[in-house]
Amino acid sequence: MAVLVVGDSLVAAASADVTGLSPAGTRTATLAGIGASPCDLWAGYRATPTFGGEFLSFRATVRSERPKAVVLAFTGNPGLSAKACITNATGAYRLSDLVSAYRTALSAMGTYAESMGARVFLSATPARNPSVSEGWVDGSQHGYNGDPAFNSM
């Protein structure tokens, strides 16, 4: 069986464990971008040289890996590319806009993976540290990573 785990920096950081701890007979691959959103990976984008510089594309990876299962695991990043879920992530964007963009991209990713014969799983995002500000606070955007709205999606 082939499993593809797709996500952001948490998937990138866990990549060796994801593949190393897979059951015998399971071929596991990861597609992850540091700071990535599902919108980035759905559209396909080139990571900055600091983050490896490679072209990351969900559709191309599904085509090449032919997974039987796809796990989508994102924490709530607004994204990095011109096709990010929020293109001006330093500005005052709303959680509802981010969740809506996530829903659209994740639905498209799931539909595509299913059309290619994969079963799709959406991983819950880790909880946000309650002591960290959320949203637009005092002229700075603190983001919404880990907001419960992602898990209720």
Side-chain angles (χ1 to χ4, degrees), residues 10 75-78 93 95 98 124-137 140-151:
L10 291 184
T75 65
N77 295 321
Y93 63 91
L95 173 61
L98 184 61
T125 185
R128 184 179 186 91
N129 180 341
S131 68
V132 175
S133 298
E134 183 177 62
W136 189 257
V137 180
S140 295
Q141 180 57 255
H142 295 267
Y144 296 99
N145 295 74
D147 187 282
F150 294 104
N151 292 338

Side-chain angles (χ1 to χ4, degrees), residues 7-9 32-38 40-41 45 56 74 76-80 102:
D8 52 32
S9 61
I34 296 170
S37 71
D40 294 317
L41 293 172
Y45 77 106
L56 303 173
F74 292 89
N77 295 321
L80 298 170
Y102 261 60

Side-chain angles (χ1 to χ4, degrees), residues 6-7 31 36-45 56-58 74 109:
V6 181
L31 172 65
S37 71
C39 303
D40 294 317
L41 293 172
W42 175 243
Y45 77 106
L56 303 173
S57 169
F58 177 76
F74 292 89
M109 293 167 91

Side-chain angles (χ1 to χ4, degrees), residues 1-148:
M1 175 194 264
V3 177
L4 175 63
V5 182
V6 181
D8 52 32
S9 61
L10 291 184
V11 172
S15 185
D17 289 330
V18 166
T19 56
L21 296 174
S22 295
T26 301
R27 183 176 51 83
T28 307
T30 59
L31 172 65
I34 296 170
S37 71
C39 303
D40 294 317
L41 293 172
W42 175 243
Y45 77 106
R46 183 157 309 282
T48 64
T50 304
F51 297 142
E54 71 246 70
F55 187 74
L56 303 173
S57 169
F58 177 76
R59 285 174 272 212
T61 303
V62 169
R63 283 192 306 272
S64 68
E65 295 292 332
R66 298 286 184 189
K68 296 296 178 200
V70 171
V71 179
L72 301 172
F74 292 89
T75 65
N77 295 321
L80 298 170
S81 74
K83 302 284 184 171
C85 287
I86 300 292
T87 55
N88 180 15
T90 60
Y93 63 91
R94 299 178 313 188
L95 173 61
S96 60
D97 294 336
L98 184 61
V99 170
S100 177
Y102 261 60
R103 183 176 286 112
T104 299
L106 290 170
S107 294
M109 293 167 91
T111 298
Y112 182 78
E114 286 178 343
S115 77
M116 299 294 284
R119 189 163 180 202
V120 179
F121 300 88
L122 184 60
S123 174
T125 185
R128 184 179 186 91
N129 180 341
S131 68
V132 175
S133 298
E134 183 177 62
W136 189 257
V137 180
D138 297 328
S140 295
Q141 180 57 255
H142 295 267
Y144 296 99
N145 295 74
D147 187 282

